[in-house]
Amino acid sequence: MKTEIDLRKLQERVIQCRKCTRLVAYLKEVSQHKPKRYRDWDYWSKPLPSFGDPDGRVLIVGLAPAAQGGNRTGRMFTGDRSGEWLFNALNQFGFANRPDSFRRDDDFKLDDCYITATIRCAPPKNKPLPVEIENCRPYFLTELDLLRKVRIIVPLGQIAFAQTLRSLRLKGAEIPSLPFGHGKVYEVSTGQALRTISLITTYHPSQQNTQTGKLTRPMFHQIFRTVKKKLEIES
Ligand code: SF4
């Protein structure tokens, strides 16, 4: 219960955050220039809080909200193409109660899984600046402290992977240089607070990867099959 309350307090702070002036201005611009298909939507256009099961053993780390996706609906990955892939896979392997979610007020729920992101405001062209990543890092570091049951981290894509490693190192983990690739599994000793964590890498389910065939459904589902198996072995 305490974790849940602390996470809620953190999320309230996140929603109020205005540290990145470029992103604050961009979110305002996005909500003023909606595409026709979303013209009736009242865009969230604020930082997105993380969400999920506070006791989850699996932590998914995205890159950043999509301007017309999570930034519109108010929940990470909700209503965007990457979310369609992610939620479908999570449902397939028992981490979500349904395979899709298009609004933040639906009954979509994560089980044994928590979703966060490298930065919490949609950046222009999906490209955050290094200073924006650093501005947002303290929120992720706090989540690493609060989500005490996490055993497996799945960063989505190379940037999320690199930034997760950096955050774990800042927490005191001694992690050597690790190459990125799809489906790599690393065991990372993070010191007493976080114990040993498995890092399982995947290409990001962005349209750029899914439409070009760089990432296929079987490849993506294999990641969560591996996650599931690891949890079963450990329990
Ligand atoms: S990206 Fe993070 S640090 Fe920057 S304004 Fe949004 S919530 Fe704040």
Side-chain angles (χ1 to χ4, degrees), residues 17 19-20 23 47 119-121 135-136 139:
C17 181
K19 270 192 255 179
C20 306
L23 300 183
I119 71 162
R120 289 135 214 272
C121 294
N135 283 348
C136 221
Y139 300 129

Side-chain angles (χ1 to χ4, degrees), residues 171-186:
K171 284 268 162 216
E174 288 181 14
I175 308 174
S177 170
L178 300 175
F180 177 74
H182 182 79
K184 292 187 181 294
V185 180
Y186 297 114

Side-chain angles (χ1 to χ4, degrees), residues 152 185-187 198 200 225-235:
I152 299 177
V185 180
Y186 297 114
E187 303 300 328
S198 302
I200 302 182
R225 191 170 291 115
T226 305
V227 169
K228 197 80 186 171
K229 264 194 199 150
K230 271 194 144 310
L231 290 176
E232 280 166 8
I233 290 167
E234 282 177 20
S235 61

Side-chain angles (χ1 to χ4, degrees), residues 44-157:
W44 175 261
S45 279
K46 292 188 285 267
L48 284 182
S50 52
F51 77 105
D53 181 353
D55 293 323
R57 290 176 295 169
V58 181
L59 178 62
I60 312 275
V61 186
L63 170 59
Q68 310 296 338
N71 175 61
R72 167 176 54 91
T73 61
R75 192 170 60 195
M76 289 184 183
F77 288 102
T78 301
D80 66 47
R81 294 278 167 85
S82 300
E84 278 176 35
W85 274 58
L86 180 62
F87 294 161
N88 177 282
L90 290 175
N91 175 255
Q92 182 102 0
F93 292 93
F95 297 109
N97 64 337
R98 46 186 280 182
D100 52 31
S101 176
F102 303 104
R103 318 183 66 93
R104 72 173 183 277
D105 57 1
D106 62 17
D107 63 351
F108 180 81
K109 272 206 177 65
L110 294 172
D111 182 26
D112 208 8
C113 176
Y114 196 88
I115 295 180
T116 188
T118 307
I119 71 162
R120 289 135 214 272
C121 294
K125 298 185 180 152
N126 288 325
K127 288 199 173 105
L129 300 175
V131 65
E132 292 160 352
I133 292 177
E134 291 312 320
N135 283 348
C136 221
R137 190 180 306 282
Y139 300 129
F140 182 59
L141 294 176
T142 305
E143 283 163 352
L144 286 177
D145 288 337
L146 293 176
L147 298 164
R148 292 187 190 90
K149 298 204 176 156
V150 166
R151 289 289 166 273
I152 299 177
I153 302 182
V154 183
L156 303 178

